[in-house]
Amino acid sequence: MNKVHVKRDDTVIVISGDDKGVKGKVIAVSPEEGKVIVEGANMQTKHVKPRRQGETGGIVKVEGAMYADKVALVCNNSACKNKGKATRAKVVMENGKKIRVCAKCGKEI
């Protein structure tokens, strides 16, 4: 089983590929494949067939999965010097629970 360093609803930035620099929220995570789906990144066209009477089909744009290695966490703390940029996360034990914190400012991600 692969470990993925991001979770659903994390804010991330794409660090490589055609969508480099795109920020977005993680919609879904697939740890088995090591992939994530990021809002607004890796857009693909999908042909949709109408399923019910009166429903329209056509070509729609949807987010595609990308490897989790291509994204980095973003610290949203206003006091952090890495605000809005890619940052690393540390795992800290607090009251017997593991909490991810920004490596630069120490605030919870």
Side-chain angles (χ1 to χ4, degrees), residues 43-57:
M43 298 301 287
Q44 299 173 344
T45 55
K46 182 178 179 182
H47 295 264
V48 178
K49 191 173 183 179
R51 295 289 174 200
R52 296 190 193 103
Q53 192 171 5
E55 194 176 283
T56 59

Side-chain angles (χ1 to χ4, degrees), residues 28-49:
V29 178
S30 177
E32 305 85 37
E33 298 174 324
K35 293 186 176 185
V36 294
I37 298 176
V38 180
E39 193 175 81
N42 195 21
M43 298 301 287
Q44 299 173 344
T45 55
K46 182 178 179 182
H47 295 264
V48 178
K49 191 173 183 179

Side-chain angles (χ1 to χ4, degrees), residues 4-107:
V4 180
H5 66 285
V6 293
K7 296 181 181 181
R8 205 170 113 243
D9 293 331
D10 281 346
T11 304
V12 295
I13 188 167
V14 180
I15 56 174
S16 69
D18 292 338
D19 291 317
K20 182 177 180 176
V22 174
K23 286 184 197 171
K25 194 160 54 161
V26 176
I27 300 171
V29 178
S30 177
E32 305 85 37
E33 298 174 324
K35 293 186 176 185
V36 294
I37 298 176
V38 180
E39 193 175 81
N42 195 21
M43 298 301 287
Q44 299 173 344
T45 55
K46 182 178 179 182
H47 295 264
V48 178
K49 191 173 183 179
R51 295 289 174 200
R52 296 190 193 103
Q53 192 171 5
E55 194 176 283
T56 59
I59 301 171
V60 295
K61 293 265 190 185
V62 293
E63 290 94 352
M66 64 171 53
Y67 285 107
D69 301 342
K70 291 181 171 263
V71 299
L73 283 168
V74 172
C75 183
N76 290 324
N77 182 20
S78 58
C80 185
K81 65 180 178 180
N82 266 12
K83 180 174 174 24
K85 297 180 188 171
T87 188
R88 292 183 182 204
K90 292 195 302 188
V91 178
V92 178
M93 292 294 286
E94 194 172 289
N95 297 330
K97 292 180 90 177
K98 289 182 181 179
I99 296 176
R100 295 179 306 154
V101 296
C102 174
K104 292 286 182 183
C105 66
K107 298 288 184 189

